[in-house]
Amino acid sequence: MGLAGIDASPRGAGESVWHPERDQIELTCVLHALSDPMRLRIVSELAAGEARTCKSFDLPVVKSTCTHHFKVLREAGVIRQQLLGTTRVNTLRRKDLEARFPGLVDAVLRGACR
Amino acid sequence: MGLAGIDASPRGAGESVWHPERDQIELTCVLHALSDPMRLRIVSELAAGEARTCKSFDLPVVKSTCTHHFKVLREAGVIRQQLLGTTRVNTLRRKDLEARFPGLVDAVLRGACR
DNA sequence: GCCAATGTACGAAGATCATCGAACTTGATA
DNA sequence: TATCAAGTTCGATGATCTTCGTACATTGGC
Protein backbone atom coordinates (compact mmCIF):
# COMPACT_ATOMS: atom_id res chain seq x y z
CA MET A 1 0.00 0.00 0.00
CA GLY A 2 2.32 2.74 1.10
CA LEU A 3 5.62 2.78 -0.69
CA ALA A 4 7.71 5.90 -0.63
CA GLY A 5 10.05 4.87 -3.37
CA ILE A 6 12.26 7.61 -4.72
CA ASP A 7 11.10 11.09 -4.05
CA ALA A 8 13.16 14.01 -5.14
CA SER A 9 13.02 17.79 -4.96
CA PRO A 10 12.38 19.01 -1.45
CA ARG A 11 10.92 22.45 -1.73
CA GLY A 12 9.38 25.17 0.32
CA ALA A 13 5.83 25.48 -0.78
CA GLY A 14 5.37 22.48 -3.05
CA GLU A 15 5.23 18.76 -2.49
CA SER A 16 7.90 16.58 -1.03
CA VAL A 17 5.91 13.68 0.33
CA TRP A 18 4.57 10.83 -1.72
CA HIS A 19 1.04 10.95 -3.10
CA PRO A 20 -0.60 8.42 -5.40
CA GLU A 21 -1.39 9.66 -8.89
CA ARG A 22 -5.04 9.93 -9.74
CA ASP A 23 -4.97 6.66 -11.64
CA GLN A 24 -3.27 4.91 -8.77
CA ILE A 25 -6.04 5.63 -6.29
CA GLU A 26 -7.65 2.34 -5.30
CA LEU A 27 -11.22 1.95 -4.21
CA THR A 28 -10.54 -0.46 -1.36
CA CYS A 29 -7.84 1.82 0.03
CA VAL A 30 -10.16 4.82 -0.09
CA LEU A 31 -12.97 2.90 1.60
CA HIS A 32 -10.61 1.66 4.27
CA ALA A 33 -9.26 5.16 4.84
CA LEU A 34 -12.80 6.46 5.27
CA SER A 35 -13.94 3.62 7.51
CA ASP A 36 -12.34 5.11 10.62
CA PRO A 37 -14.38 7.66 12.61
CA MET A 38 -11.42 9.91 13.26
CA ARG A 39 -10.41 10.01 9.62
CA LEU A 40 -13.99 10.47 8.53
CA ARG A 41 -14.15 13.48 10.81
CA ILE A 42 -10.98 14.90 9.30
CA VAL A 43 -12.37 14.49 5.81
CA SER A 44 -15.70 16.04 6.77
CA GLU A 45 -14.08 19.12 8.23
CA LEU A 46 -11.78 19.35 5.26
CA ALA A 47 -14.73 19.20 2.90
CA ALA A 48 -16.58 21.91 4.75
CA GLY A 49 -13.90 24.52 4.56
CA GLU A 50 -10.56 25.36 3.14
CA ALA A 51 -7.03 24.10 3.53
CA ARG A 52 -6.20 23.23 7.11
CA THR A 53 -3.05 22.39 9.00
CA CYS A 54 -2.93 19.16 10.98
CA LYS A 55 -2.91 21.02 14.27
CA SER A 56 -6.06 22.96 13.44
CA PHE A 57 -8.05 19.77 13.85
CA ASP A 58 -8.58 19.38 17.54
CA LEU A 59 -8.31 15.61 17.57
CA PRO A 60 -8.42 13.71 20.89
CA VAL A 61 -5.16 11.88 20.23
CA VAL A 62 -1.46 12.62 20.48
CA LYS A 63 0.57 14.10 17.66
CA SER A 64 2.07 10.88 16.35
CA THR A 65 -1.37 9.33 16.04
CA CYS A 66 -2.48 12.34 14.03
CA THR A 67 0.49 11.85 11.75
CA HIS A 68 -0.60 8.25 11.27
CA HIS A 69 -4.17 9.13 10.29
CA PHE A 70 -3.13 11.89 7.91
CA LYS A 71 -0.65 9.50 6.36
CA VAL A 72 -3.32 6.87 5.78
CA LEU A 73 -5.55 9.45 4.12
CA ARG A 74 -2.71 10.80 2.01
CA GLU A 75 -1.44 7.42 0.84
CA ALA A 76 -4.98 6.37 -0.04
CA GLY A 77 -5.24 9.45 -2.22
CA VAL A 78 -7.98 11.09 -0.19
CA ILE A 79 -6.07 14.19 0.86
CA ARG A 80 -3.11 16.15 -0.39
CA GLN A 81 -0.47 17.44 2.00
CA GLN A 82 1.70 20.39 1.05
CA LEU A 83 4.60 21.69 3.03
CA LEU A 84 4.29 25.27 4.15
CA GLY A 85 6.97 26.33 6.52
CA THR A 86 6.89 24.06 9.50
CA THR A 87 3.34 22.95 8.91
CA ARG A 88 1.51 20.72 6.47
CA VAL A 89 -1.48 22.12 4.69
CA ASN A 90 -4.15 19.53 4.00
CA THR A 91 -6.72 19.61 1.24
CA LEU A 92 -9.30 17.13 0.04
CA ARG A 93 -8.52 15.70 -3.40
CA ARG A 94 -12.07 16.30 -4.57
CA LYS A 95 -11.39 16.49 -8.29
CA ASP A 96 -9.25 13.39 -8.37
CA LEU A 97 -11.70 11.40 -6.30
CA GLU A 98 -14.66 12.63 -8.31
CA ALA A 99 -12.93 11.72 -11.55
CA ARG A 100 -12.06 8.26 -10.36
CA PHE A 101 -15.12 7.38 -8.28
CA PRO A 102 -17.95 9.73 -9.25
CA GLY A 103 -20.38 10.48 -6.46
CA LEU A 104 -18.50 8.52 -3.83
CA VAL A 105 -17.17 11.35 -1.71
CA ASP A 106 -20.45 13.25 -1.82
CA ALA A 107 -22.37 10.17 -0.75
CA VAL A 108 -19.95 9.49 2.11
CA LEU A 109 -19.99 13.11 3.28
CA ARG A 110 -23.76 13.22 3.16
CA GLY A 111 -23.85 10.05 5.23
CA ALA A 112 -21.22 11.33 7.65
CA CYS A 113 -23.19 14.45 8.53
CA ARG A 114 -26.03 12.01 9.01
CA MET B 1 -20.34 -4.10 16.62
CA GLY B 2 -21.93 -7.49 16.20
CA LEU B 3 -24.15 -8.43 19.06
CA ALA B 4 -26.62 -11.22 18.62
CA GLY B 5 -28.69 -10.37 21.65
CA ILE B 6 -32.00 -12.14 21.86
CA ASP B 7 -33.25 -13.57 18.66
CA ALA B 8 -36.43 -15.55 18.61
CA SER B 9 -38.57 -17.33 16.05
CA PRO B 10 -36.53 -19.82 14.09
CA ARG B 11 -38.38 -20.48 10.89
CA GLY B 12 -38.05 -22.27 7.63
CA ALA B 13 -37.99 -19.61 4.98
CA GLY B 14 -37.68 -16.44 7.04
CA GLU B 15 -34.98 -14.91 9.14
CA SER B 16 -33.33 -16.39 12.14
CA VAL B 17 -30.02 -14.61 12.17
CA TRP B 18 -29.46 -11.10 13.41
CA HIS B 19 -29.60 -8.17 11.03
CA PRO B 20 -29.32 -4.49 11.91
CA GLU B 21 -32.46 -2.44 11.35
CA ARG B 22 -32.24 0.17 8.65
CA ASP B 23 -31.69 2.93 11.19
CA GLN B 24 -28.96 0.96 12.89
CA ILE B 25 -26.79 0.73 9.79
CA GLU B 26 -23.60 2.70 10.42
CA LEU B 27 -21.55 4.37 7.75
CA THR B 28 -18.15 3.36 9.11
CA CYS B 29 -19.26 -0.27 9.38
CA VAL B 30 -20.53 -0.25 5.80
CA LEU B 31 -17.32 1.33 4.53
CA HIS B 32 -15.24 -1.17 6.44
CA ALA B 33 -17.30 -4.06 5.11
CA LEU B 34 -16.80 -2.82 1.57
CA SER B 35 -13.08 -2.14 1.97
CA ASP B 36 -12.11 -5.79 1.52
CA PRO B 37 -11.60 -7.05 -2.06
CA MET B 38 -13.29 -10.37 -1.39
CA ARG B 39 -16.35 -8.74 0.13
CA LEU B 40 -16.46 -6.11 -2.58
CA ARG B 41 -16.54 -8.93 -5.10
CA ILE B 42 -19.40 -10.61 -3.27
CA VAL B 43 -21.38 -7.37 -3.25
CA SER B 44 -20.68 -6.72 -6.93
CA GLU B 45 -21.91 -10.13 -7.97
CA LEU B 46 -24.89 -9.78 -5.71
CA ALA B 47 -25.75 -6.45 -7.27
CA ALA B 48 -25.52 -7.81 -10.77
CA GLY B 49 -27.99 -10.60 -10.39
CA GLU B 50 -30.45 -12.17 -8.07
CA ALA B 51 -30.37 -13.90 -4.73
CA ARG B 52 -27.40 -16.21 -4.37
CA THR B 53 -26.34 -18.91 -1.96
CA CYS B 54 -22.95 -18.61 -0.31
CA LYS B 55 -21.59 -21.59 -2.24
CA SER B 56 -22.55 -20.13 -5.59
CA PHE B 57 -19.76 -17.59 -5.17
CA ASP B 58 -16.63 -19.40 -6.18
CA LEU B 59 -14.39 -17.73 -3.64
CA PRO B 60 -10.76 -18.80 -3.28
CA VAL B 61 -11.03 -19.45 0.44
CA VAL B 62 -12.30 -22.21 2.68
CA LYS B 63 -15.86 -22.39 3.96
CA SER B 64 -15.26 -20.88 7.36
CA THR B 65 -13.62 -17.85 5.81
CA CYS B 66 -16.66 -17.41 3.60
CA THR B 67 -18.86 -17.55 6.65
CA HIS B 68 -16.73 -14.81 8.18
CA HIS B 69 -17.05 -12.47 5.18
CA PHE B 70 -20.78 -12.98 4.81
CA LYS B 71 -21.17 -12.34 8.50
CA VAL B 72 -19.27 -9.05 8.28
CA LEU B 73 -21.47 -7.95 5.38
CA ARG B 74 -24.65 -9.02 7.14
CA GLU B 75 -23.82 -7.38 10.47
CA ALA B 76 -22.86 -4.17 8.69
CA GLY B 77 -26.29 -4.18 7.07
CA VAL B 78 -25.00 -4.60 3.54
CA ILE B 79 -26.62 -7.93 2.79
CA ARG B 80 -29.56 -9.91 4.06
CA GLN B 81 -29.29 -13.63 4.70
CA GLN B 82 -32.37 -15.81 4.68
CA LEU B 83 -32.47 -19.45 5.60
CA LEU B 84 -33.73 -21.80 2.91
CA GLY B 85 -33.25 -25.41 3.76
CA THR B 86 -29.62 -26.03 4.42
CA THR B 87 -28.46 -22.99 2.54
CA ARG B 88 -28.46 -19.24 3.08
CA VAL B 89 -29.82 -17.04 0.40
CA ASN B 90 -28.03 -13.71 0.17
CA THR B 91 -29.44 -10.46 -1.17
CA LEU B 92 -28.12 -6.93 -1.27
CA ARG B 93 -30.04 -4.53 1.00
CA ARG B 94 -30.28 -1.96 -1.75
CA LYS B 95 -33.35 -0.12 -0.52
CA ASP B 96 -32.12 0.16 3.04
CA LEU B 97 -28.70 1.34 1.97
CA GLU B 98 -30.13 3.77 -0.54
CA ALA B 99 -32.48 5.20 2.08
CA ARG B 100 -29.72 5.64 4.60
CA PHE B 101 -26.79 6.61 2.37
CA PRO B 102 -28.16 7.79 -0.98
CA GLY B 103 -25.86 7.12 -3.89
CA LEU B 104 -23.23 5.31 -1.87
CA VAL B 105 -23.73 1.79 -3.15
CA ASP B 106 -24.05 2.91 -6.74
CA ALA B 107 -20.85 4.90 -6.49
CA VAL B 108 -18.99 2.00 -4.94
CA LEU B 109 -20.28 -0.49 -7.48
CA ARG B 110 -19.40 1.81 -10.33
CA GLY B 111 -15.91 2.13 -8.90
CA ALA B 112 -15.61 -1.60 -8.30
CA CYS B 113 -16.27 -2.47 -11.94
CA ARG B 114 -13.61 0.11 -12.62
C1' DG C 1 22.55 31.46 17.52
C1' DC C 2 18.81 29.66 20.43
C1' DC C 3 14.15 28.32 21.29
C1' DA C 4 9.42 27.20 20.45
C1' DA C 5 6.12 25.16 17.32
C1' DT C 6 4.77 21.74 13.95
C1' DG C 7 5.24 17.59 12.52
C1' DT C 8 7.85 12.87 11.45
C1' DA C 9 10.22 8.38 12.66
C1' DC C 10 10.60 4.57 15.38
C1' DG C 11 9.43 1.08 18.57
C1' DA C 12 6.09 -1.10 21.57
C1' DA C 13 1.55 -2.65 23.32
C1' DG C 14 -2.96 -4.18 22.68
C1' DA C 15 -6.86 -4.85 19.56
C1' DT C 16 -8.82 -6.30 15.48
C1' DC C 17 -8.70 -8.90 11.20
C1' DA C 18 -8.28 -12.61 7.59
C1' DT C 19 -7.32 -17.10 7.17
C1' DC C 20 -7.18 -21.93 8.16
C1' DG C 21 -8.54 -26.65 9.99
C1' DA C 22 -11.45 -29.57 12.62
C1' DA C 23 -15.68 -30.60 14.73
C1' DC C 24 -20.47 -29.75 14.69
C1' DT C 25 -25.56 -28.77 13.00
C1' DT C 26 -29.22 -29.13 9.91
C1' DG C 27 -31.92 -30.38 6.13
C1' DA C 28 -32.33 -33.18 1.85
C1' DT C 29 -31.85 -37.55 -0.28
C1' DA C 30 -30.61 -42.26 -1.60
C1' DT D 1 -31.72 -44.77 8.46
C1' DA D 2 -27.33 -43.51 6.84
C1' DT D 3 -25.12 -40.29 4.15
C1' DC D 4 -24.08 -36.05 1.93
C1' DA D 5 -23.97 -31.08 1.22
C1' DA D 6 -24.12 -26.31 3.02
C1' DG D 7 -22.86 -23.62 6.61
C1' DT D 8 -21.61 -22.50 11.46
C1' DT D 9 -18.69 -22.50 15.56
C1' DC D 10 -14.41 -22.57 17.83
C1' DG D 11 -9.61 -22.07 18.49
C1' DA D 12 -5.20 -20.82 16.58
C1' DT D 13 -1.96 -18.09 13.83
C1' DG D 14 0.10 -14.41 11.58
C1' DA D 15 -0.80 -9.85 9.73
C1' DT D 16 -2.46 -5.37 10.10
C1' DC D 17 -4.23 -1.43 12.77
C1' DT D 18 -4.67 2.12 16.37
C1' DT D 19 -2.58 4.23 19.89
C1' DC D 20 1.06 5.90 22.72
C1' DG D 21 5.68 7.82 24.16
C1' DT D 22 10.10 9.39 23.08
C1' DA D 23 13.45 11.11 20.15
C1' DC D 24 14.38 13.67 16.05
C1' DA D 25 13.99 17.16 12.07
C1' DT D 26 12.77 21.59 10.17
C1' DT D 27 11.28 26.23 10.16
C1' DG D 28 10.27 30.87 11.96
C1' DG D 29 11.00 34.31 15.37
C1' DC D 30 13.53 36.34 19.46
Side-chain angles (χ1 to χ4, degrees):
Chain A
M1 258 174 227
L3 251 180
I6 319 99
D7 64 335
S9 66
R11 232 162 311 118
E15 315 229 334
S16 88
V17 281
W18 183 83
H19 290 78
E21 299 295 322
R22 174 185 289 190
D23 295 348
Q24 293 176 319
I25 300 177
E26 293 226 24
L27 180 59
T28 51
C29 294
V30 172
L31 294 176
H32 171 251
L34 297 175
S35 72
D36 180 272
M38 188 106 50
R39 293 194 289 262
L40 196 51
R41 173 174 156 184
I42 292 172
V43 171
S44 295
E45 295 191 30
L46 223 39
E50 282 306 308
R52 300 265 301 266
T53 66
C54 297
K55 212 51 188 178
S56 76
F57 297 84
D58 196 32
L59 301 175
V61 285
V62 300
K63 283 194 301 178
S64 49
T65 303
C66 283
T67 297
H68 164 71
H69 285 304
F70 280 100
K71 184 177 177 184
V72 171
L73 288 169
R74 171 171 51 81
E75 293 186 341
V78 178
I79 67 170
R80 188 173 296 281
Q81 292 193 294
Q82 286 165 296
L83 301 184
L84 186 64
T86 174
T87 76
R88 298 212 159 178
V89 179
N90 302 280
T91 49
L92 190 57
R93 293 180 66 175
R94 266 191 184 279
K95 277 188 185 170
D96 290 328
L97 291 167
E98 186 61 23
R100 191 126 172 78
F101 309 116
L104 180 62
V105 172
D106 286 342
V108 169
L109 290 175
R110 225 178 301 131
C113 299
R114 185 146 22 162
Chain B
M1 260 176 222
L3 251 180
I6 318 101
D7 65 335
S9 66
R11 232 163 310 115
E15 313 227 338
S16 89
V17 280
W18 183 83
H19 291 78
E21 298 294 323
R22 175 184 288 188
D23 295 348
Q24 293 177 319
I25 300 177
E26 293 226 25
L27 180 59
T28 51
C29 295
V30 171
L31 294 175
H32 170 251
L34 296 176
S35 72
D36 181 90
M38 189 103 52
R39 293 194 291 261
L40 197 50
R41 174 174 157 184
I42 293 171
V43 171
S44 295
E45 296 192 29
L46 223 39
E50 283 305 310
R52 300 266 301 266
T53 67
C54 297
K55 213 49 188 179
S56 75
F57 298 84
D58 196 30
L59 301 175
V61 285
V62 301
K63 284 193 300 178
S64 50
T65 304
C66 283
T67 297
H68 165 70
H69 285 305
F70 280 100
K71 184 178 177 183
V72 170
L73 288 169
R74 171 172 50 81
E75 294 186 342
V78 178
I79 67 171
R80 189 172 296 281
Q81 292 192 294
Q82 286 165 297
L83 300 183
L84 187 64
T86 173
T87 77
R88 298 211 161 180
V89 179
N90 302 281
T91 49
L92 190 57
R93 293 181 65 175
R94 264 193 186 281
K95 277 188 185 171
D96 290 328
L97 291 168
E98 186 61 24
R100 191 125 172 80
F101 310 116
L104 180 63
V105 171
D106 286 341
V108 169
L109 290 175
R110 226 178 300 131
C113 298
R114 183 148 18 168

